[in-house]
């Protein structure tokens, strides 16, 4: 049984006389400690799928469950990392990270230890008392990841987390996330429209199509990554140079392009 | 001293000189229409020393400041929570907003006759009228503050499992606070305007009473003293509020300056 499970999920906007079928018949299982990237053209409903798991929105048909429990509302066991960081601007880095820990009732001493540890993990030591606006975009997103990570959530939901960052920062964040995820695997649902990012980070990549939004194809990355020993390379550009990487990337591109071609026709 | 303060000081000095020239030296303006500096000084000395209109200046100021403060506090203590509630709950908005829309266009001063009818010429009537006047900007701006709050911050708070009281205290209030303070400033202005009007209608002491008595006594010097006293009191309270705002919103001013 998958940690995250979509069963025949659909989303319809409108009323009886007319409307828009945003998602239809989505079936997807993300296994425990699996890193699943979801790619697709804009408007395919990939963010909506993540919002179902987060509990921000509900499907109009089908069910979304986490560890066998149907999702009805948001909660700290399903931590979200938002594209726009969503840090409280009036709270310091420490206070932002602390909020979730306080909410789930962690004792003060343990909170302090966990915050110190996560700050170190995310290379944020020394910035605990800074306000978000004093930090760069990349640092703010680290804080946002730290805020989610510190809760030790069952699943981590990342909605185009590096979409708002510049290209260089983005690469650094991707490398760090790979280190984090390989050392300490989590169940991750990662929404992106960047194909390279999906191939580099994920165990599997789900490719979506639109009108109506649906899962078109799921591509296994992990077996190839492990046989070709991608993780032996430290830098993302070395991995991206590998023939196996290029091959997978091209395959996903083709699949997405077919979609575009059909739209134009 | 900066160039700006020097220019500002020079302008005021020029205005005072012109005032002196027009009223005293050239006699263009008759002292029955507008007081000369000397008349104003005499009036100030009179109200500060032996008193005028049932009290010395300090008593009048104290009474007015007290009433404004009480009315303002009552208005803010009721208006801000109501505005926050209306901003947060669609149901509260649906129920309260129609009533609010009907009451809102009534000029606050039009409540004075009713307030006097209900509560007489005493302090309570004045506090009531100030409340009506200062309540509206507090409600509207707190409401707008909640409505303008970034949706993803609310989602982030829900995702973190934030309980309602923590949410109100640590997300809703600080998030809405820039708008809340805008409301407080407008409420304070409305409080002063309304108080002076209410005291003009009927009061034993207070700066409005000084103005009213001076008008009946055809005493331009005292009218000007009353006006200046009201201005200074209002200005000082606005400055105090500004200091409080700056402290409470340090994160916001810095955030906006930073990007």
């Amino acid at each position: 049984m998958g940690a995250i499970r979509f069963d025949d999920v659909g989303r319809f906007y409108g009323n009886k006389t007319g409307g828009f079928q945003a998602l239809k018949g989505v079936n997807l299982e993300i296994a425990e400690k699996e890193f699943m990237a979801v790619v697709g053209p804009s408007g395919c409903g990939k963010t909506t799928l993540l919002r179902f798991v987060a509990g921000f929105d509900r499907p109009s048909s089908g069910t979304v469950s986490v560890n066998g429990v149907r999702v009805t509302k948001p909660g700290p066991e399903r931590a979200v990392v938002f594209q726009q960081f969503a840090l409280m601007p009036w709270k310091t880095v420490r206070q932002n990270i602390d909020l979730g820990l306080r909410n789930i009732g962690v004792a003060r001493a343990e909170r302090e230890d966990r915050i110190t540890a996560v700050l170190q993990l995310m290379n944020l030591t020394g910035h605990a008392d800074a306000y978000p606006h004093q930090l760069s975009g990349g640092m703010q997103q680290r804080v946002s990841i730290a805020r989610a990570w510190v809760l030790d959530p069952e699943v981590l939901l990342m909605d185009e987390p590096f979409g708002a960052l510049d290209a260089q920062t983005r690469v650094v964040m991707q490398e760090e996330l790979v280190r984090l995820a390989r050392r300490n695997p989590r169940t991750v649902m990662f929404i992106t429209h960047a194909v390279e990012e999906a191939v580099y980070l994920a165990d599997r990549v789900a490719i979506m199509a639109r009108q109506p939004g649906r899962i078109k194809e799921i591509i296994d990355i992990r077996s190839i990554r492990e046989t070709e020993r991608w993780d032996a390379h430290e830098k993302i550009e070395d991995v991206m140079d590998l023939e196996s990487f290029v091959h997978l990337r091209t395959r996903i591109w083709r699949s997405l392009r077919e979609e575009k071609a059909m739209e134009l026709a | 001293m900066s160039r700006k303060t020097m220019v500002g000081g020079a302008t005021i000095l020029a205005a005072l000189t012109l005032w002196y020239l027009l009223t005293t030296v050239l006699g263009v303006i008759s002292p029955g229409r507008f007081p000369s500096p000397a008349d104003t000084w005499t009036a100030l000395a009179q109200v500060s020393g032996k008193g005028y209109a049932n009290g010395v200046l300090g008593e009048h100021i104290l009474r007015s400041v007290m009433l404004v403060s009480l009315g303002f506090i009552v208005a803010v203590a009721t208006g801000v929570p109501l505005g926050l509630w209306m901003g947060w709950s669609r149901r509260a908005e649906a129920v309260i907003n129609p009533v609010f829309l009907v009451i809102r266009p009534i000029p606050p001063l039009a409540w004075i006759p009713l307030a006097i009818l209900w509560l007489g010429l005493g302090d309570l009537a004045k506090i009531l009228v100030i409340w009506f006047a200062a309540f509206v900007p507090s409600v509207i701006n707190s409401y707008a503050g909640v409505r303008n709050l970034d949706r993803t911050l609310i989602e982030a708070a829900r995702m973190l499992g934030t309980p309602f009281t923590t949410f109100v205290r640590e997300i809703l209030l600080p998030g809405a606070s820039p708008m809340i303070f805008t409301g407080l400033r407008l409420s304070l202005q409305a409080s002063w305007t309304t108080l002076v009007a209410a005291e003009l209608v009927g009061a034993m002491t207070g700066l409005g009473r000084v103005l009213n008595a001076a008008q009946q006594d055809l005493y331009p010097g005292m009218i000007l003293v009353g006006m200046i006293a009201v201005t200074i009191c209002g200005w000082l309270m606005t400055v105090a509020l500004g200091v409080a705002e700056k402290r409470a919103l340090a994160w916001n001013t810095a955030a906006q300056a930073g990007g």
Side-chain angles (χ1 to χ4, degrees), chain B residues 13-254:
Chain B
L13 202 69
L16 289 173
T17 314
L18 192 68
W19 177 30
Y20 176 70
L21 283 174
L22 289 176
T23 52
T24 315
V25 180
L26 302 171
V28 181
I29 299 170
S30 97
R33 300 259 178 220
F34 199 82
S36 67
D39 293 343
T40 314
W41 182 255
T42 316
L44 180 64
Q46 186 196 337
V47 70
S48 309
K50 76 182 197 342
Y52 181 77
N54 308 325
V56 294
L57 185 60
E59 288 170 328
H60 292 302
I61 288 178
L62 206 65
R63 165 60 42 122
S64 291
V65 168
M66 186 194 77
L67 289 180
V68 163
S69 306
L70 279 174
F72 175 71
I73 288 167
V74 174
V76 166
T78 50
V80 171
L82 187 76
L84 294 177
W85 190 36
M86 276 169 66
W88 181 246
S89 157
R90 299 270 166 187
R91 198 175 298 168
E93 187 198 10
V95 174
I96 302 166
N97 214 26
V99 182
F100 199 71
L101 285 177
V102 172
I103 294 180
R104 192 178 144 188
I106 303 174
L109 302 186
W111 286 103
I112 293 178
L114 260 189
I116 291 176
L117 198 68
W118 292 340
L119 297 165
L121 288 173
D123 294 346
L124 273 181
K126 292 178 189 66
I127 293 173
L128 185 71
V129 179
I130 294 173
W131 182 27
F132 283 144
F135 181 68
V136 175
S138 279
V139 174
I140 293 174
N141 287 284
S142 306
Y143 167 82
V146 175
R147 276 299 150 86
N148 293 340
L149 199 60
D150 185 352
R151 294 287 313 164
T152 55
L153 291 187
I154 298 174
E155 284 177 349
R158 292 178 63 204
M159 169 277 282
L160 293 168
T162 314
F164 187 69
T165 46
T166 312
F167 177 77
V168 171
R169 208 172 46 239
E170 297 187 26
I171 284 95
L172 204 64
L173 261 177
S177 57
M179 287 298 286
I180 293 176
F181 270 104
T182 303
L184 296 192
R185 271 202 310 275
L186 295 171
S187 287
L188 187 58
Q189 281 170 19
S191 300
W192 272 103
T193 313
T194 317
L195 174 83
V196 172
E199 283 182 345
L200 278 172
V201 174
M204 294 304 288
T205 49
L207 293 170
R209 167 80 190 126
V210 171
L211 286 167
N212 190 18
Q215 180 219 323
Q216 280 163 14
D217 293 349
L218 304 176
Y219 191 170
M222 193 59 81
I223 292 178
L224 198 61
V225 168
M227 287 171 67
I228 293 170
V230 167
T231 308
I232 292 177
C233 289
W235 178 71
L236 282 178
M237 281 178 80
T238 309
V239 168
L241 187 65
V243 171
E245 177 175 358
K246 218 171 183 176
R247 274 198 195 173
L249 299 184
W251 61 268
N252 191 42
T253 28

Side-chain angles (χ1 to χ4, degrees), chain A residues 51 55-56 73-76 78-80 82 86-91 96 99-100 102-104 131 133 147 151, chain B residues 149-150 152-163 166 169-172 174-176 250-251 254-255 258:
Chain A
R51 292 176 60 85
F56 296 146
K73 59 179 198 318
R78 281 163 285 123
V80 182
F82 298 86
L87 299 169
M88 311 301 161
W90 48 87
K91 286 182 183 287
N96 266 292
L99 179 61
R102 281 164 48 215
N103 292 341
I104 57 174
Y131 284 92
H133 66 85
R147 173 175 75 177
L151 297 173
Chain B
L149 199 60
D150 185 352
T152 55
L153 291 187
I154 298 174
E155 284 177 349
R158 292 178 63 204
M159 169 277 282
L160 293 168
T162 314
T166 312
R169 208 172 46 239
E170 297 187 26
I171 284 95
L172 204 64
W251 61 268

